[in-house]
Amino acid sequence: MSRIVMFESYGAPEVLQFREVEVAAPGPREVRITVRAIGLNRAESMWRKGSYVEEVRLPARLGYEVAGIVDAVGAEVSHVKPGDAVTTIPSFSQNDYGLYGEVVLAPAHAVVAIPAGLSFEEATAIWNPYITPYGAFAERHPLTKDDVVLVSSASSSVGLGAIEMINMLGATPIALTRTSAKREALLAAGAKHVIATGEQDLVAEVKRLTGGKGATFAFEAVGGSQFPTLLAALAHGATVFVYGALSDEVTPLPLLDVIPNEPVIRGYNLFGTTTDPERQARAVKFISEGLASGKLKPRIAQTFAFDDIVEAHRTLEKNEHTGRIVVTV
């Protein structure tokens, strides 16, 4: 038997419930994992509220990234074995698998060995934070030393991962945050510059830092009423990767500015990389090498006990943390 987390209706963190379930033996291409740590993603919060990019089938489970010990493997699984320390990569629908639990089943293609030297907690803070910017800036639009990238929601785990990835690829990351309270933390994380969008003129600051040219890329997780200002801070023909929608506001598109400036606005997520076996393998190799070299350093903001999963989700939604929120099991 295992305690798992599920919800029967959409809503605030309080809709999350614990249930005792019997975990079946793994199918041919499944792995059963005794979970030691869970990394929280904003996608799971949106899933719980019914506002994700995919329709939720209720009652529902949730959870993409866990780390733990392999308990059993299916007949066709050969890359991991019982007793191995593993972690999971977001590469499946939460309608099919939800990994908030003490013992869980995961699809074998999502399960990989924990990179050397990482704790269980750290191992839940690497794949979404690093594969998301990797897919954008190492696969789709490889960065050069001349590129300047605006990173919105920079103190999130993906924002911090993007800052490190951009540095690793030789370009210049500019962190965007609402207030100056996180300035020093973002600079310590590798941001070349930090702009507090609630206190400074975003466009003027970016133009000043780039000699009037504007940024060549934006890695955008927010949207809402500030989106036109973000576009105005970009160079002609710049690319915006929109990978999140943290704002509840309508996102306006200023067409008379878009037409002459010719930005490329691209919806984006990591699943194109993680659901392709060859691309996933390249991403895991690249990120593992970055971790081994010290260029990538997973950051944990706060740790909660499994019993406190509701409070962990409340903290996630306050957007006050810097790094990954982790739940220990």
Short mmCIF file of all heavy atoms in Angstrom, two decimals, residues 155-181:
data_model
loop_
_atom_site.label_atom_id
_atom_site.label_comp_id
_atom_site.label_asym_id
_atom_site.label_seq_id
_atom_site.Cartn_x
_atom_site.Cartn_y
_atom_site.Cartn_z
N SER A 155 13.59 34.18 -10.69
CA SER A 155 13.90 33.49 -9.44
C SER A 155 13.24 32.12 -9.33
O SER A 155 13.48 31.39 -8.37
CB SER A 155 13.50 34.35 -8.24
OG SER A 155 12.11 34.61 -8.26
N SER A 156 12.42 31.76 -10.30
CA SER A 156 11.83 30.42 -10.32
C SER A 156 12.91 29.40 -10.63
O SER A 156 14.02 29.75 -11.07
CB SER A 156 10.72 30.34 -11.37
OG SER A 156 11.30 30.43 -12.68
N SER A 157 12.62 28.13 -10.42
CA SER A 157 13.63 27.11 -10.71
C SER A 157 14.00 27.09 -12.19
O SER A 157 15.18 26.93 -12.54
CB SER A 157 13.15 25.73 -10.25
OG SER A 157 11.94 25.36 -10.89
N VAL A 158 13.03 27.28 -13.08
CA VAL A 158 13.33 27.32 -14.51
C VAL A 158 14.07 28.61 -14.86
O VAL A 158 14.99 28.60 -15.68
CB VAL A 158 12.06 27.17 -15.36
CG1 VAL A 158 12.38 27.32 -16.84
CG2 VAL A 158 11.41 25.82 -15.11
N GLY A 159 13.69 29.72 -14.22
CA GLY A 159 14.40 30.97 -14.46
C GLY A 159 15.86 30.87 -14.08
O GLY A 159 16.76 31.29 -14.83
N LEU A 160 16.14 30.30 -12.91
CA LEU A 160 17.52 30.12 -12.47
C LEU A 160 18.25 29.15 -13.39
O LEU A 160 19.42 29.35 -13.73
CB LEU A 160 17.55 29.62 -11.03
CG LEU A 160 17.05 30.60 -9.97
CD1 LEU A 160 16.97 29.90 -8.62
CD2 LEU A 160 17.95 31.83 -9.88
N GLY A 161 17.54 28.08 -13.79
CA GLY A 161 18.15 27.14 -14.73
C GLY A 161 18.49 27.80 -16.05
O GLY A 161 19.54 27.52 -16.65
N ALA A 162 17.61 28.70 -16.50
CA ALA A 162 17.87 29.41 -17.75
C ALA A 162 19.09 30.31 -17.63
O ALA A 162 19.92 30.38 -18.55
CB ALA A 162 16.64 30.23 -18.14
N ILE A 163 19.23 31.01 -16.51
CA ILE A 163 20.39 31.87 -16.31
C ILE A 163 21.68 31.05 -16.42
O ILE A 163 22.63 31.43 -17.12
CB ILE A 163 20.30 32.58 -14.95
CG1 ILE A 163 19.19 33.63 -14.97
CG2 ILE A 163 21.64 33.23 -14.58
CD1 ILE A 163 18.86 34.20 -13.61
N GLU A 164 21.72 29.92 -15.74
CA GLU A 164 22.91 29.07 -15.78
C GLU A 164 23.15 28.50 -17.17
O GLU A 164 24.29 28.44 -17.65
CB GLU A 164 22.78 27.94 -14.77
CG GLU A 164 22.81 28.41 -13.33
CD GLU A 164 22.74 27.26 -12.34
OE1 GLU A 164 22.39 26.14 -12.74
OE2 GLU A 164 23.05 27.50 -11.17
N MET A 165 22.08 28.07 -17.84
CA MET A 165 22.21 27.50 -19.18
C MET A 165 22.70 28.54 -20.18
O MET A 165 23.57 28.26 -21.03
CB MET A 165 20.87 26.93 -19.63
CG MET A 165 20.90 26.20 -20.97
SD MET A 165 21.89 24.68 -20.95
CE MET A 165 20.98 23.67 -19.79
N ILE A 166 22.17 29.75 -20.09
CA ILE A 166 22.59 30.83 -20.99
C ILE A 166 24.07 31.14 -20.78
O ILE A 166 24.83 31.31 -21.74
CB ILE A 166 21.71 32.08 -20.76
CG1 ILE A 166 20.28 31.78 -21.21
CG2 ILE A 166 22.27 33.29 -21.50
CD1 ILE A 166 19.25 32.74 -20.64
N ASN A 167 24.51 31.19 -19.53
CA ASN A 167 25.93 31.38 -19.25
C ASN A 167 26.76 30.23 -19.81
O ASN A 167 27.84 30.44 -20.39
CB ASN A 167 26.17 31.50 -17.74
CG ASN A 167 25.87 32.87 -17.20
OD1 ASN A 167 26.15 33.88 -17.85
ND2 ASN A 167 25.31 32.95 -16.00
N MET A 168 26.30 29.01 -19.61
CA MET A 168 27.01 27.83 -20.09
C MET A 168 27.19 27.87 -21.61
O MET A 168 28.21 27.41 -22.13
CB MET A 168 26.25 26.58 -19.67
CG MET A 168 26.97 25.27 -19.91
SD MET A 168 26.04 23.89 -19.17
CE MET A 168 26.97 22.50 -19.79
N LEU A 169 26.20 28.45 -22.32
CA LEU A 169 26.24 28.53 -23.77
C LEU A 169 26.95 29.78 -24.27
O LEU A 169 27.06 29.99 -25.48
CB LEU A 169 24.83 28.46 -24.34
CG LEU A 169 24.11 27.12 -24.09
CD1 LEU A 169 22.63 27.23 -24.43
CD2 LEU A 169 24.76 26.01 -24.91
N GLY A 170 27.42 30.63 -23.34
CA GLY A 170 28.25 31.77 -23.72
C GLY A 170 27.54 33.06 -24.00
O GLY A 170 28.17 34.04 -24.43
N ALA A 171 26.24 33.13 -23.78
CA ALA A 171 25.47 34.36 -24.02
C ALA A 171 25.30 35.13 -22.71
O ALA A 171 25.83 34.75 -21.67
CB ALA A 171 24.12 34.02 -24.65
N THR A 172 24.53 36.22 -22.77
CA THR A 172 24.35 37.12 -21.63
C THR A 172 22.93 37.06 -21.10
O THR A 172 21.99 37.43 -21.81
CB THR A 172 24.68 38.57 -22.02
OG1 THR A 172 26.03 38.65 -22.47
CG2 THR A 172 24.47 39.51 -20.84
N PRO A 173 22.72 36.59 -19.86
CA PRO A 173 21.37 36.58 -19.28
C PRO A 173 21.08 37.86 -18.50
O PRO A 173 21.90 38.31 -17.69
CB PRO A 173 21.41 35.38 -18.34
CG PRO A 173 22.85 35.29 -17.90
CD PRO A 173 23.69 35.86 -19.02
N ILE A 174 19.91 38.44 -18.74
CA ILE A 174 19.41 39.56 -17.95
C ILE A 174 18.18 39.06 -17.20
O ILE A 174 17.19 38.67 -17.81
CB ILE A 174 19.05 40.78 -18.82
CG1 ILE A 174 20.30 41.31 -19.54
CG2 ILE A 174 18.43 41.88 -17.96
CD1 ILE A 174 20.02 42.50 -20.43
N ALA A 175 18.26 39.07 -15.88
CA ALA A 175 17.16 38.56 -15.05
C ALA A 175 16.11 39.64 -14.84
O ALA A 175 16.44 40.78 -14.51
CB ALA A 175 17.70 38.09 -13.71
N LEU A 176 14.84 39.26 -15.02
CA LEU A 176 13.72 40.16 -14.75
C LEU A 176 12.99 39.65 -13.51
O LEU A 176 12.64 38.48 -13.41
CB LEU A 176 12.75 40.20 -15.94
CG LEU A 176 13.36 40.50 -17.31
CD1 LEU A 176 12.26 40.60 -18.37
CD2 LEU A 176 14.19 41.77 -17.28
N THR A 177 12.75 40.56 -12.57
CA THR A 177 12.06 40.22 -11.32
C THR A 177 11.23 41.43 -10.92
O THR A 177 11.49 42.56 -11.36
CB THR A 177 13.09 39.84 -10.23
OG1 THR A 177 12.40 39.42 -9.06
CG2 THR A 177 14.02 41.00 -9.90
N ARG A 178 10.21 41.22 -10.11
CA ARG A 178 9.28 42.32 -9.83
C ARG A 178 9.88 43.41 -8.96
O ARG A 178 9.65 44.60 -9.21
CB ARG A 178 8.03 41.75 -9.15
CG ARG A 178 7.11 40.97 -10.08
CD ARG A 178 5.97 40.34 -9.32
NE ARG A 178 6.45 39.35 -8.36
CZ ARG A 178 5.68 38.69 -7.50
NH1 ARG A 178 4.38 38.96 -7.46
NH2 ARG A 178 6.18 37.80 -6.67
N THR A 179 10.63 43.03 -7.95
CA THR A 179 11.23 44.01 -7.05
C THR A 179 12.72 43.74 -6.92
O THR A 179 13.22 42.70 -7.37
CB THR A 179 10.59 43.96 -5.65
OG1 THR A 179 11.04 42.76 -4.97
CG2 THR A 179 9.07 43.97 -5.74
N SER A 180 13.42 44.62 -6.27
CA SER A 180 14.87 44.47 -6.11
C SER A 180 15.24 43.54 -4.96
O SER A 180 16.42 43.31 -4.69
CB SER A 180 15.51 45.84 -5.88
OG SER A 180 14.94 46.49 -4.75
N ALA A 181 14.24 42.96 -4.28
CA ALA A 181 14.52 42.11 -3.11
C ALA A 181 15.38 40.90 -3.46
O ALA A 181 16.17 40.44 -2.63
CB ALA A 181 13.21 41.65 -2.48
#
